Amino acid sequence: MSTPALHTRLPAVGTTVFTRMSQLALEHGAVNLGQGFPDFGCDPKLVDLVGEAMRAGQNQYAPMTGIPALRAAIAAKVEKLYGRRYDDAAEITVTNGASQAIQSAILCSVHPGDEVIVIEPAYDCYLPAIALAGGVPVPVAMHIGSEGYSVPWDAVAAAVTPRTRMIVVNTPHNPTGSILRAADLDALAAVVAGTDILVLSDEVYEHMVYDGEQHASVSRHPVLAERAFVVSSFGKTYHVTGWKVGYVAAPAALTAEFRKVHQYNVFSVNTPMQHGIAAYMQDARPYLELPAFYQRKRDLFRAGLAGSRFELLPSNGTYFQCVRYDAISGLPEAEFATWLTVEANVAAIPVSAFYSRPTESGIVRFCFAKKDETLRKALETLSRL
Ligand SMILES: *Cc1c(COP(=O)(O)O)cnc(C)c1O
């Protein structure tokens, strides 16, 4: 007896760079500024609220769409911050993290042969979802100028064909730390005007925008919001990436299709976590205070690198800082990231890992969602390279 041959549906997928760099960091006792997760705890109050829900017996299947209290809290927050009122019964769905929201949004709307425009560098979960749907990814590279990364909307417009079904955007942007602004949303609206192209907007870092700027949520843009799946994640907002609870907001017709997939790939999301988060959301301070919390860490990290041979790119949002290293090394990004981990004992992620085609920009990404002492330890060596 032998295992039947299985033709992989995802030939391009191997072990992710995040797993590889985290392993390497562990082996070499390096400070891990690679993978994007906090090394500090969440608010104990949030844990208490989840515990209370468990003890109160909230341990069976939740409604398929999410518990009403959480959907209501999400709709209220989105309206307060971005001015669009989503119907919490028909337009908000609680998901198993943003990842499942993204995958289900793609699976419910992309047919075999449909093209999906992905702006690169791009977070790694878009392409496999497009592949599973039988879609064709159409990468458009971001522009890297003196002001950092930006989206070349003329190139996005030029990539549109009659087969284009969806455009994926991500703001604040992982890995670059760049953000879209109102003018970007207007440019995107111009690209999709008069077409049936859908927009998938990954906004998991919505509460991490710095220097007093506003998050340009697609839900804020009346024209785009009519055709958009807007995705966010409590993992990022509340320092609980391991909980995998997120949501998607979309007009009723799109939500109805989304739920057809959602109902059969996860059915429903962890019940006590939903109750705990719904109760915790009644206080807006934790997410309203997040920009100041992370901006301080960003500034600490940037100040520590200011006198170094790294060149800092802007970090307008997210908890990532990208740097050029050409004054330190001529190595390609993946090799430099490995060298940095082994020799300098600080793990970073090569930005080349976020492109579908070989692309070297001489840039690596650090994550500053770490305790100050972790950041200081990393800076001790980074500042001397
Ligand atoms: C972390 C992350 C996600 C996934 O969020 P989960 O809630 O952990 O599934 C999606 N998009 C981006 C850009 C991310 O950084």
Side-chain angles (χ1 to χ4, degrees):
M1 297 293 272
S2 63
T3 308
L6 175 64
H7 291 294
T8 179
R9 297 199 57 206
L10 295 171
V13 172
T15 310
T16 72
V17 64
F18 310 102
T19 307
R20 274 193 285 114
M21 293 312 301
S22 286
Q23 265 164 9
L24 199 65
L26 209 62
E27 280 165 31
H28 292 269
V31 183
N32 190 356
L33 303 189
Q35 206 170 356
F37 61 85
D39 70 345
F40 45 84
C42 68
D43 186 345
K45 192 172 159 221
L46 179 55
V47 175
D48 288 345
L49 289 166
V50 172
E52 275 170 33
M54 284 185 179
R55 282 187 293 274
Q58 301 288 4
N59 299 301
Q60 308 308 327
Y61 290 128
M64 183 270 281
T65 59
I67 65 163
L70 183 53
R71 281 187 277 105
I74 292 165
K77 185 201 78 169
V78 172
E79 183 177 24
K80 190 174 81 178
L81 295 183
Y82 311 129
R84 183 179 178 88
R85 180 71 208 177
Y86 286 95
D87 176 346
D88 46 295
E91 300 187 317
I92 304 274
T93 309
V94 179
T95 60
N96 192 348
S99 308
Q100 183 245 319
I102 289 163
Q103 192 191 50
S104 298
I106 289 171
L107 287 178
C108 80
S109 52
V110 174
H111 289 247
D114 284 355
E115 294 174 2
V116 180
I117 295 177
V118 176
I119 295 155
E120 292 187 337
Y123 183 66
D124 66 341
C125 81
Y126 311 142
L127 293 187
I130 295 165
L132 286 177
V136 180
V138 177
V140 173
M142 287 176 96
H143 178 69
I144 316 174
S146 53
E147 297 294 297
Y149 285 87
S150 59
V151 178
W153 293 108
D154 50 346
V156 174
V160 169
T161 77
R163 304 230 56 167
T164 307
R165 178 86 278 248
M166 177 181 269
I167 300 177
V168 183
V169 294
N170 169 214
T171 186
H173 186 258
N174 180 5
T176 68
S178 64
I179 58 173
L180 297 182
R181 297 186 170 86
D184 291 293
L185 297 191
D186 288 340
L188 175 58
V191 171
V192 300
T195 73
D196 285 331
I197 298 172
L198 301 172
V199 171
L200 171 56
S201 187
D202 179 348
E203 303 185 9
V204 302
Y205 299 104
E206 63 177 317
H207 300 297
M208 296 170 216
V209 176
Y210 308 128
D211 308 313
E213 290 203 72
Q214 276 197 333
H215 169 54
S217 177
V218 161
S219 60
R220 211 192 262 289
H221 196 288
V223 176
L224 289 175
E226 277 307 316
R227 58 173 77 216
F229 296 98
V230 178
V231 171
S232 190
S233 169
F234 295 107
K236 300 290 158 72
T237 301
Y238 291 148
H239 316 308
V240 288
T241 58
W243 287 13
K244 299 295 289 185
V245 183
Y247 61 88
V248 59
L254 298 186
T255 293
E257 288 304 314
F258 178 93
R259 288 174 177 177
K260 288 182 189 173
V261 172
H262 174 81
Q263 172 154 318
Y264 295 108
N265 67 357
V266 293
F267 178 61
S268 68
V269 173
N270 191 308
T271 306
M273 259 77 174
Q274 290 195 63
H275 283 278
I277 292 169
Y280 191 67
M281 280 186 85
Q282 300 311 311
D283 183 357
R285 277 173 302 178
Y287 59 80
L288 293 180
E289 287 166 1
L290 209 57
F293 174 81
Y294 273 124
Q295 184 171 324
R296 199 191 56 77
K297 290 196 179 288
R298 180 201 66 169
D299 292 346
L300 186 160
F301 191 60
R302 286 177 71 90
L305 288 183
S308 77
R309 291 201 288 164
F310 286 108
E311 184 194 325
L312 294 158
L313 275 70
S315 170
N316 302 116
T318 72
Y319 44 49
F320 300 116
Q321 173 64 57
C322 283
V323 298
R324 276 183 213 280
Y325 60 82
D326 53 1
I328 296 170
S329 166
L331 286 173
E333 290 173 15
E335 288 171 46
F336 179 72
T338 301
W339 177 86
L340 200 62
T341 310
V342 175
E343 301 300 329
N345 268 243
V346 180
I349 300 289
V351 173
S352 55
F354 298 87
Y355 288 89
S356 53
R357 296 190 273 239
T359 305
E360 289 291 334
S361 333
I363 296 172
V364 293
R365 186 199 80 177
F366 292 113
C367 172
F368 57 78
K370 307 292 169 185
K371 293 177 200 151
D372 289 2
E373 65 195 73
T374 310
L375 295 174
R376 288 206 184 90
K377 190 161 172 231
L379 286 167
E380 254 170 53
T381 45
L382 294 177
S383 61
R384 277 186 273 147
L385 290 176

